[in-house]
């Protein structure tokens, strides 16, 4: 079973996560940031992962440390759970509509962290959530998962719909790229390692 358990304690956050790649879409999320909880539940459901997450963060300062550190921990959990990357698809691209919004995510489980984030037009806030933290979350994830991720918004006018399409796409692109393919023998790279 491809899963991992990560605990991360800093002066800013205390995070516990249990993450299973081959799950059923079950989520138990308590980050202290309601909008992020909603997005992670969507990611888990559409990626068919299982995730249990608790976080106590310095929300009296702001949401930045909590959101970024959860991205880091999810990246660490993913990188550990994926293991040797043998027999996986490795690549995936999905395009997700959410009402008037349309986003495309492309993923390479490459061992090389790189984020391209082209999302313009978000309002500063969705409720009390700072939308600039969406990029911070994905940067934290990419750096620690050691993957290449491109996120491109084609269009959209409602900030909630835009971010929701991205997180749903994130789940689906992770699911497709991590899927084991019986036709692939060993690591899907001509180098022999990722």
């Amino acid at each position: 079973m491809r899963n991992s358990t990560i605990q991360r304690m800093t002066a800013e956050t205390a995070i516990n996560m249990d993450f299973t790649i081959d799950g059923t879409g079950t989520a138990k999320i308590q980050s202290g940031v309601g909008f992020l909880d909603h997005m992670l539940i969507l990611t888990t459901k559409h990626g068919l992962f299982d995730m249990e997450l608790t976080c106590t963060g310095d929300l009296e300062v702001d949401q930045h440390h909590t959101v970024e550190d959860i991205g880091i921990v999810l990246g660490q959990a993913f990188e550990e759970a994926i293991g040797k990357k043998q027999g996986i698809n490795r690549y995936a691209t999905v395009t997700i509509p959410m009402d008037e919004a349309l986003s495309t995510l492309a993923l390479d489980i490459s061992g090389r962290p790189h984020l391209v984030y082209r999302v313009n037009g978000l309002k500063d806030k969705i409720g009390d959530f700072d939308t600039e933290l969406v990029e911070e979350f994905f940067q934290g994830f990419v750096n620690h998962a050691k993957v290449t991720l491109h996120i491109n918004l084609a269009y959209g006018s409602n900030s909630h719909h835009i971010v929701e399409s991205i997180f749903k796409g994130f789940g689906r692109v992770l699911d497709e790229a991590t899927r084991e393919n019986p036709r692939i023998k060993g690591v899907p790279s001509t180098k022999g390692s990722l």
Side-chain angles (χ1 to χ4, degrees):
M1 188 173 231
R2 298 182 294 174
N3 74 321
S4 64
T5 299
I6 303 289
Q7 295 181 329
R8 185 174 193 266
M9 307 282 287
T10 72
E12 298 164 342
T13 60
I15 300 173
N16 293 290
M17 179 181 289
D18 188 66
F19 177 78
T20 302
I21 290 175
D22 306 303
T24 60
T26 301
K28 295 179 183 175
I29 311 289
Q30 294 180 329
S31 73
V33 179
F35 184 74
L36 181 62
D37 289 0
H38 178 42
M39 293 301 108
L40 291 176
I41 289 167
L42 292 172
T43 297
T44 303
K45 181 71 171 178
H46 290 276
L48 295 173
F49 307 117
D50 292 337
M51 186 192 310
E52 290 188 27
L53 165 71
T54 59
C55 176
T56 303
D58 58 353
L59 295 177
E60 71 280 1
V61 175
D62 67 9
Q63 299 173 346
H64 188 283
H65 300 140
T66 294
V67 175
E68 180 182 31
D69 287 5
I70 289 171
I72 289 169
V73 169
L74 180 57
Q76 291 171 333
F78 178 85
E79 203 268 337
E80 184 176 297
I82 197 67
K84 296 181 180 179
K85 306 172 189 155
Q86 294 182 343
I88 62 169
N89 283 332
R90 176 181 168 180
Y91 293 100
T93 301
V94 300
T95 298
I96 298 293
M98 176 63 197
D99 294 347
E100 86 299 340
L102 187 73
S103 64
T104 298
L105 288 84
L107 178 71
D108 177 11
I109 303 175
S110 61
R112 296 182 306 276
H114 190 82
L115 175 67
V116 174
Y117 182 82
R118 294 186 179 152
V119 179
N120 297 314
L122 289 176
K123 294 178 181 155
D124 291 341
K125 297 253 190 195
I126 300 172
D128 66 351
F129 181 81
D130 297 319
T131 58
E132 68 181 7
L133 297 180
V134 174
E135 184 174 6
E136 294 296 327
F137 171 86
F138 285 111
Q139 190 66 68
F141 173 80
V142 161
N143 287 347
H144 293 271
K146 299 176 185 169
V147 300
T148 294
L149 178 63
H150 291 240
I151 301 172
N152 289 287
L153 175 68
Y155 45 79
S157 57
N158 181 293
S159 293
H160 189 129
H161 294 167
I162 290 168
V163 177
E164 187 166 327
S165 75
I166 291 168
F167 274 88
K168 285 178 176 177
F170 180 50
R172 292 184 67 88
V173 80
L174 287 175
D175 178 46
E176 177 62 31
T178 59
R179 201 169 296 161
E180 293 175 318
N181 185 331
R183 296 172 56 209
I184 298 173
K185 306 302 179 196
V187 174
S189 171
T190 54
K191 295 177 186 177
S193 67
L194 288 170

